[in-house]
Amino acid sequence: MKLDGRRESDNFEDRRGMSGSSKAGMGIGGLILVGLITLLMGGNPLEVLQNAGSMGFGSQETEVSTEPYQETAEEAEQVKFCKQILASTEDVWTQVFQRMGRKYTPPTLVVFSGSVQTTCGGATAAVGPFYCSGDQKLYIDLSFFKQMETQLKSGGDFARAYVIAHEVGHHVENLLGSLGQAHSQMQSSNKTKANQISVRLELLADYYAGVWAHYEDKQFGSLDDSDLQEAINCAQHIGDDYLQKQAQGYSQPESFTHGTAQQRMRWLKRGYQTGDMNTTTFNGSYESL
């Protein structure tokens, strides 16, 4: 991915070297890769994915400074990359929203180490990157990128960009109202129905990540076929069916919260190929996704 000379976003918070509540809690929109990280740590992702919707909300413990964080050269490059990708999403979505007659308010990217406190509750690095609609911020522990490369074999700069763009996709859902509507529906639904709504949200965030890539490439010519393949490879390895089969040898579709590998790849590619904001995962039957 060609990013030389590109600007870096100022919507950034560095909370590395701060300690916060380790109580697991976050918005449903921030559940991407929970099962993946659990699998990589030797746990059962199925168990986490089934219980994710009941994680705690609203913990307000205060973060305090500890020792000054000593950033490595590699981490400095990763921070620069994250800022550049976030800046790209700002540029793309500002223009897309303008064409829809709307105003885009960008989210803030928070980099943390170990654990972090959010408006949606406390979370640890084990939950992976996530978005909190309560404070309109996306959170990431940079160690996740290393796990992608060494344990998931899903490295590459555009795979990392896809992870960020997916979380920004949840922010787009939030601004357009689909995230709030889905959360309301989930609260009044049984677990199977709520899981299906969650899958629609996650696939829509994948689609919006593809829409971002469509206009990023159109404006800057920054992508090639290998870049898209990196993101598709990553999407394939974070499908619920793939994670469950890796953990227990079989999958349970009724427990899916993010979608299958094929669904995630398909919606990512569809967004990239069309850039169409009239498309949504909330139309049609669940079986047709």
Side-chain angles (χ1 to χ4, degrees), residues 221-242:
S222 56
L223 307 179
D224 56 33
D225 290 342
S226 65
D227 288 315
L228 182 60
Q229 189 56 49
E230 288 175 359
I232 290 174
N233 179 57
C234 183
Q236 180 180 12
H237 286 84
I238 56 178
D240 287 325
D241 55 338
Y242 178 88

PDB file of all heavy atoms in Angstrom, residues 221-242:
ATOM      1  N   GLY A 221      -4.748   5.911  -5.919  1.00  0.00           N
ATOM      2  CA  GLY A 221      -4.096   4.828  -6.639  1.00  0.00           C
ATOM      3  C   GLY A 221      -3.100   4.091  -5.771  1.00  0.00           C
ATOM      4  O   GLY A 221      -2.026   3.694  -6.220  1.00  0.00           O
ATOM      5  N   SER A 222      -3.476   3.865  -4.514  1.00  0.00           N
ATOM      6  CA  SER A 222      -2.538   3.351  -3.520  1.00  0.00           C
ATOM      7  C   SER A 222      -2.536   1.839  -3.392  1.00  0.00           C
ATOM      8  O   SER A 222      -1.690   1.278  -2.702  1.00  0.00           O
ATOM      9  CB  SER A 222      -2.871   3.959  -2.146  1.00  0.00           C
ATOM     10  OG  SER A 222      -4.223   3.697  -1.810  1.00  0.00           O
ATOM     11  N   LEU A 223      -3.488   1.145  -4.050  1.00  0.00           N
ATOM     12  CA  LEU A 223      -3.638  -0.290  -3.846  1.00  0.00           C
ATOM     13  C   LEU A 223      -3.319  -1.064  -5.108  1.00  0.00           C
ATOM     14  O   LEU A 223      -3.434  -0.558  -6.225  1.00  0.00           O
ATOM     15  CB  LEU A 223      -5.070  -0.620  -3.410  1.00  0.00           C
ATOM     16  CG  LEU A 223      -5.616   0.139  -2.199  1.00  0.00           C
ATOM     17  CD1 LEU A 223      -7.042  -0.290  -1.920  1.00  0.00           C
ATOM     18  CD2 LEU A 223      -4.737  -0.071  -0.987  1.00  0.00           C
ATOM     19  N   ASP A 224      -2.916  -2.329  -4.909  1.00  0.00           N
ATOM     20  CA  ASP A 224      -2.776  -3.256  -6.027  1.00  0.00           C
ATOM     21  C   ASP A 224      -3.453  -4.567  -5.643  1.00  0.00           C
ATOM     22  O   ASP A 224      -4.011  -4.702  -4.554  1.00  0.00           O
ATOM     23  CB  ASP A 224      -1.303  -3.472  -6.404  1.00  0.00           C
ATOM     24  CG  ASP A 224      -0.451  -3.953  -5.237  1.00  0.00           C
ATOM     25  OD1 ASP A 224      -0.984  -4.696  -4.375  1.00  0.00           O
ATOM     26  OD2 ASP A 224       0.736  -3.614  -5.174  1.00  0.00           O
ATOM     27  N   ASP A 225      -3.417  -5.543  -6.528  1.00  0.00           N
ATOM     28  CA  ASP A 225      -4.126  -6.799  -6.281  1.00  0.00           C
ATOM     29  C   ASP A 225      -3.642  -7.502  -5.015  1.00  0.00           C
ATOM     30  O   ASP A 225      -4.427  -8.131  -4.305  1.00  0.00           O
ATOM     31  CB  ASP A 225      -3.958  -7.737  -7.477  1.00  0.00           C
ATOM     32  CG  ASP A 225      -4.711  -7.247  -8.708  1.00  0.00           C
ATOM     33  OD1 ASP A 225      -5.606  -6.398  -8.545  1.00  0.00           O
ATOM     34  OD2 ASP A 225      -4.399  -7.703  -9.820  1.00  0.00           O
ATOM     35  N   SER A 226      -2.358  -7.391  -4.720  1.00  0.00           N
ATOM     36  CA  SER A 226      -1.826  -8.057  -3.534  1.00  0.00           C
ATOM     37  C   SER A 226      -2.367  -7.430  -2.257  1.00  0.00           C
ATOM     38  O   SER A 226      -2.545  -8.117  -1.247  1.00  0.00           O
ATOM     39  CB  SER A 226      -0.298  -8.010  -3.533  1.00  0.00           C
ATOM     40  OG  SER A 226       0.173  -6.675  -3.413  1.00  0.00           O
ATOM     41  N   ASP A 227      -2.635  -6.117  -2.283  1.00  0.00           N
ATOM     42  CA  ASP A 227      -3.197  -5.458  -1.106  1.00  0.00           C
ATOM     43  C   ASP A 227      -4.580  -6.009  -0.798  1.00  0.00           C
ATOM     44  O   ASP A 227      -4.893  -6.360   0.346  1.00  0.00           O
ATOM     45  CB  ASP A 227      -3.281  -3.941  -1.329  1.00  0.00           C
ATOM     46  CG  ASP A 227      -1.925  -3.265  -1.309  1.00  0.00           C
ATOM     47  OD1 ASP A 227      -1.132  -3.574  -0.405  1.00  0.00           O
ATOM     48  OD2 ASP A 227      -1.668  -2.447  -2.195  1.00  0.00           O
ATOM     49  N   LEU A 228      -5.430  -6.079  -1.803  1.00  0.00           N
ATOM     50  CA  LEU A 228      -6.770  -6.597  -1.583  1.00  0.00           C
ATOM     51  C   LEU A 228      -6.720  -8.036  -1.106  1.00  0.00           C
ATOM     52  O   LEU A 228      -7.487  -8.440  -0.224  1.00  0.00           O
ATOM     53  CB  LEU A 228      -7.596  -6.501  -2.871  1.00  0.00           C
ATOM     54  CG  LEU A 228      -9.046  -6.968  -2.763  1.00  0.00           C
ATOM     55  CD1 LEU A 228      -9.809  -6.146  -1.735  1.00  0.00           C
ATOM     56  CD2 LEU A 228      -9.739  -6.888  -4.120  1.00  0.00           C
ATOM     57  N   GLN A 229      -5.798  -8.811  -1.622  1.00  0.00           N
ATOM     58  CA  GLN A 229      -5.680 -10.203  -1.213  1.00  0.00           C
ATOM     59  C   GLN A 229      -5.309 -10.314   0.257  1.00  0.00           C
ATOM     60  O   GLN A 229      -5.744 -11.243   0.946  1.00  0.00           O
ATOM     61  CB  GLN A 229      -4.656 -10.929  -2.082  1.00  0.00           C
ATOM     62  CG  GLN A 229      -4.627 -12.436  -1.868  1.00  0.00           C
ATOM     63  CD  GLN A 229      -5.980 -13.076  -2.092  1.00  0.00           C
ATOM     64  OE1 GLN A 229      -6.641 -12.824  -3.106  1.00  0.00           O
ATOM     65  NE2 GLN A 229      -6.411 -13.913  -1.154  1.00  0.00           N
ATOM     66  N   GLU A 230      -4.482  -9.386   0.752  1.00  0.00           N
ATOM     67  CA  GLU A 230      -4.116  -9.390   2.176  1.00  0.00           C
ATOM     68  C   GLU A 230      -5.352  -9.242   3.051  1.00  0.00           C
ATOM     69  O   GLU A 230      -5.518  -9.955   4.040  1.00  0.00           O
ATOM     70  CB  GLU A 230      -3.135  -8.256   2.470  1.00  0.00           C
ATOM     71  CG  GLU A 230      -1.734  -8.464   1.927  1.00  0.00           C
ATOM     72  CD  GLU A 230      -0.843  -7.265   2.149  1.00  0.00           C
ATOM     73  OE1 GLU A 230      -1.327  -6.255   2.725  1.00  0.00           O
ATOM     74  OE2 GLU A 230       0.330  -7.314   1.747  1.00  0.00           O
ATOM     75  N   ALA A 231      -6.228  -8.298   2.668  1.00  0.00           N
ATOM     76  CA  ALA A 231      -7.433  -8.069   3.457  1.00  0.00           C
ATOM     77  C   ALA A 231      -8.381  -9.249   3.354  1.00  0.00           C
ATOM     78  O   ALA A 231      -8.996  -9.652   4.352  1.00  0.00           O
ATOM     79  CB  ALA A 231      -8.123  -6.789   2.990  1.00  0.00           C
ATOM     80  N   ILE A 232      -8.510  -9.828   2.163  1.00  0.00           N
ATOM     81  CA  ILE A 232      -9.384 -10.976   1.976  1.00  0.00           C
ATOM     82  C   ILE A 232      -8.875 -12.159   2.801  1.00  0.00           C
ATOM     83  O   ILE A 232      -9.658 -12.884   3.427  1.00  0.00           O
ATOM     84  CB  ILE A 232      -9.477 -11.345   0.485  1.00  0.00           C
ATOM     85  CG1 ILE A 232     -10.258 -10.259  -0.269  1.00  0.00           C
ATOM     86  CG2 ILE A 232     -10.134 -12.706   0.302  1.00  0.00           C
ATOM     87  CD1 ILE A 232     -10.281 -10.454  -1.762  1.00  0.00           C
ATOM     88  N   ASN A 233      -7.568 -12.352   2.813  1.00  0.00           N
ATOM     89  CA  ASN A 233      -6.976 -13.424   3.614  1.00  0.00           C
ATOM     90  C   ASN A 233      -7.267 -13.226   5.096  1.00  0.00           C
ATOM     91  O   ASN A 233      -7.598 -14.175   5.816  1.00  0.00           O
ATOM     92  CB  ASN A 233      -5.471 -13.475   3.380  1.00  0.00           C
ATOM     93  CG  ASN A 233      -4.787 -14.555   4.205  1.00  0.00           C
ATOM     94  OD1 ASN A 233      -5.129 -15.728   4.114  1.00  0.00           O
ATOM     95  ND2 ASN A 233      -3.822 -14.155   5.020  1.00  0.00           N
ATOM     96  N   CYS A 234      -7.175 -11.982   5.552  1.00  0.00           N
ATOM     97  CA  CYS A 234      -7.474 -11.682   6.954  1.00  0.00           C
ATOM     98  C   CYS A 234      -8.944 -11.957   7.252  1.00  0.00           C
ATOM     99  O   CYS A 234      -9.277 -12.586   8.256  1.00  0.00           O
ATOM    100  CB  CYS A 234      -7.129 -10.226   7.255  1.00  0.00           C
ATOM    101  SG  CYS A 234      -7.361  -9.750   8.982  1.00  0.00           S
ATOM    102  N   ALA A 235      -9.838 -11.489   6.360  1.00  0.00           N
ATOM    103  CA  ALA A 235     -11.274 -11.709   6.565  1.00  0.00           C
ATOM    104  C   ALA A 235     -11.597 -13.196   6.626  1.00  0.00           C
ATOM    105  O   ALA A 235     -12.431 -13.637   7.413  1.00  0.00           O
ATOM    106  CB  ALA A 235     -12.070 -11.039   5.447  1.00  0.00           C
ATOM    107  N   GLN A 236     -10.912 -13.974   5.804  1.00  0.00           N
ATOM    108  CA  GLN A 236     -11.142 -15.417   5.775  1.00  0.00           C
ATOM    109  C   GLN A 236     -10.805 -16.061   7.102  1.00  0.00           C
ATOM    110  O   GLN A 236     -11.491 -16.974   7.555  1.00  0.00           O
ATOM    111  CB  GLN A 236     -10.314 -16.048   4.666  1.00  0.00           C
ATOM    112  CG  GLN A 236     -10.484 -17.560   4.555  1.00  0.00           C
ATOM    113  CD  GLN A 236      -9.642 -18.162   3.449  1.00  0.00           C
ATOM    114  OE1 GLN A 236      -8.767 -17.497   2.898  1.00  0.00           O
ATOM    115  NE2 GLN A 236      -9.905 -19.412   3.116  1.00  0.00           N
ATOM    116  N   HIS A 237      -9.757 -15.581   7.747  1.00  0.00           N
ATOM    117  CA  HIS A 237      -9.282 -16.203   8.983  1.00  0.00           C
ATOM    118  C   HIS A 237      -9.979 -15.686  10.239  1.00  0.00           C
ATOM    119  O   HIS A 237      -9.649 -16.124  11.345  1.00  0.00           O
ATOM    120  CB  HIS A 237      -7.767 -16.014   9.123  1.00  0.00           C
ATOM    121  CG  HIS A 237      -6.977 -16.896   8.200  1.00  0.00           C
ATOM    122  ND1 HIS A 237      -6.724 -16.561   6.896  1.00  0.00           N
ATOM    123  CD2 HIS A 237      -6.399 -18.111   8.394  1.00  0.00           C
ATOM    124  CE1 HIS A 237      -6.010 -17.519   6.320  1.00  0.00           C
ATOM    125  NE2 HIS A 237      -5.810 -18.471   7.202  1.00  0.00           N
ATOM    126  N   ILE A 238     -10.919 -14.759  10.082  1.00  0.00           N
ATOM    127  CA  ILE A 238     -11.649 -14.280  11.251  1.00  0.00           C
ATOM    128  C   ILE A 238     -13.137 -14.567  11.126  1.00  0.00           C
ATOM    129  O   ILE A 238     -13.939 -14.011  11.866  1.00  0.00           O
ATOM    130  CB  ILE A 238     -11.414 -12.774  11.505  1.00  0.00           C
ATOM    131  CG1 ILE A 238     -11.781 -11.946  10.279  1.00  0.00           C
ATOM    132  CG2 ILE A 238      -9.973 -12.525  11.935  1.00  0.00           C
ATOM    133  CD1 ILE A 238     -11.623 -10.451  10.496  1.00  0.00           C
ATOM    134  N   GLY A 239     -13.512 -15.438  10.192  1.00  0.00           N
ATOM    135  CA  GLY A 239     -14.901 -15.878  10.122  1.00  0.00           C
ATOM    136  C   GLY A 239     -15.240 -16.759  11.310  1.00  0.00           C
ATOM    137  O   GLY A 239     -14.396 -17.513  11.819  1.00  0.00           O
ATOM    138  N   ASP A 240     -16.471 -16.670  11.782  1.00  0.00           N
ATOM    139  CA  ASP A 240     -16.877 -17.469  12.940  1.00  0.00           C
ATOM    140  C   ASP A 240     -16.706 -18.958  12.699  1.00  0.00           C
ATOM    141  O   ASP A 240     -16.285 -19.701  13.589  1.00  0.00           O
ATOM    142  CB  ASP A 240     -18.350 -17.187  13.279  1.00  0.00           C
ATOM    143  CG  ASP A 240     -18.558 -15.821  13.904  1.00  0.00           C
ATOM    144  OD1 ASP A 240     -17.682 -15.386  14.654  1.00  0.00           O
ATOM    145  OD2 ASP A 240     -19.602 -15.205  13.640  1.00  0.00           O
ATOM    146  N   ASP A 241     -17.053 -19.399  11.490  1.00  0.00           N
ATOM    147  CA  ASP A 241     -16.942 -20.829  11.205  1.00  0.00           C
ATOM    148  C   ASP A 241     -15.496 -21.297  11.253  1.00  0.00           C
ATOM    149  O   ASP A 241     -15.183 -22.360  11.808  1.00  0.00           O
ATOM    150  CB  ASP A 241     -17.570 -21.169   9.857  1.00  0.00           C
ATOM    151  CG  ASP A 241     -17.004 -20.349   8.698  1.00  0.00           C
ATOM    152  OD1 ASP A 241     -16.442 -19.260   8.931  1.00  0.00           O
ATOM    153  OD2 ASP A 241     -17.132 -20.806   7.543  1.00  0.00           O
ATOM    154  N   TYR A 242     -14.592 -20.492  10.719  1.00  0.00           N
ATOM    155  CA  TYR A 242     -13.172 -20.848  10.733  1.00  0.00           C
ATOM    156  C   TYR A 242     -12.649 -20.931  12.165  1.00  0.00           C
ATOM    157  O   TYR A 242     -11.977 -21.898  12.546  1.00  0.00           O
ATOM    158  CB  TYR A 242     -12.369 -19.825   9.937  1.00  0.00           C
ATOM    159  CG  TYR A 242     -10.875 -20.090   9.933  1.00  0.00           C
ATOM    160  CD1 TYR A 242     -10.298 -20.910   8.969  1.00  0.00           C
ATOM    161  CD2 TYR A 242     -10.043 -19.527  10.906  1.00  0.00           C
ATOM    162  CE1 TYR A 242      -8.925 -21.157   8.965  1.00  0.00           C
ATOM    163  CE2 TYR A 242      -8.680 -19.777  10.916  1.00  0.00           C
ATOM    164  CZ  TYR A 242      -8.130 -20.591   9.942  1.00  0.00           C
ATOM    165  OH  TYR A 242      -6.777 -20.840   9.948  1.00  0.00           O
TER     166      TYR A 242
END
